[in-house]
Amino acid sequence: MAGTVVADNIQAASTSTLVLKNGVANTPPTIQDSAGTQIGTFCRAWVNFNGTGTIAIRGSFNVSSITDGGTGIYTVVFTNSMPDANFSAAASSSLDQEIRVDNYTVSGVRVVTDSAATDAATVSVAVFR
């Protein structure tokens, strides 16, 4: 059944869980303006992990694993691939230094802290498309 729901407020029932579903597997619902033009989507993947010693994911969505590529180098591996590599990824860390995201692929991204000089106790990455 297809249709449109127009509301000023949507609230979850007693379960406190509001579920929005898209009919296409592994794609998030889109956000559209009043003309029906897509202006965004929900976060496609995110992760918060310990980047020192044994790498450990603290919390995540659509991230299956983190690969340790050496001091200050990590690869975030997606559970469900992106449709292409034309997405945006942002990273932050507990270090008081630069962090960058590169090597965008449909299956993941690489994160490098300050020219790979230091491991970070906390690294966070968010992916939008």
Side-chain angles (χ1 to χ4, degrees), residues 13-116:
S14 60
T15 63
S16 298
T17 300
L18 180 63
V19 177
L20 299 174
K21 291 184 178 182
N22 185 350
V24 180
N26 300 321
T27 61
T30 61
I31 302 166
Q32 299 179 351
D33 64 15
S34 60
T37 303
Q38 180 178 327
I39 58 173
T41 62
F42 295 98
C43 188
R44 295 290 291 255
W46 65 265
V47 65
N48 176 298
F49 64 93
N50 175 359
T52 61
T54 301
I55 305 304
I57 295 175
R58 293 186 184 98
S60 69
F61 171 74
N62 196 28
V63 171
S64 61
S65 64
I66 306 294
T67 302
D68 188 349
T71 304
I73 303 171
Y74 315 97
T75 299
V76 176
V77 180
F78 304 137
T79 303
N80 297 300
S81 295
M82 297 296 140
D84 54 45
N86 300 325
F87 54 86
S88 176
S92 64
S93 79
S94 57
L95 299 172
D96 187 22
Q97 44 187 266
E98 190 176 315
I99 187 168
R100 74 177 190 275
V101 179
D102 62 17
N103 196 28
Y104 289 69
T105 70
V106 296
S107 60
V109 293
R110 185 174 72 160
V111 178
V112 180
T113 64
D114 190 32
S115 301

Side-chain angles (χ1 to χ4, degrees), residues 5-12 18-20:
V5 175
V6 178
D8 291 325
N9 184 23
I10 299 174
Q11 181 175 332
L18 180 63
V19 177
L20 299 174

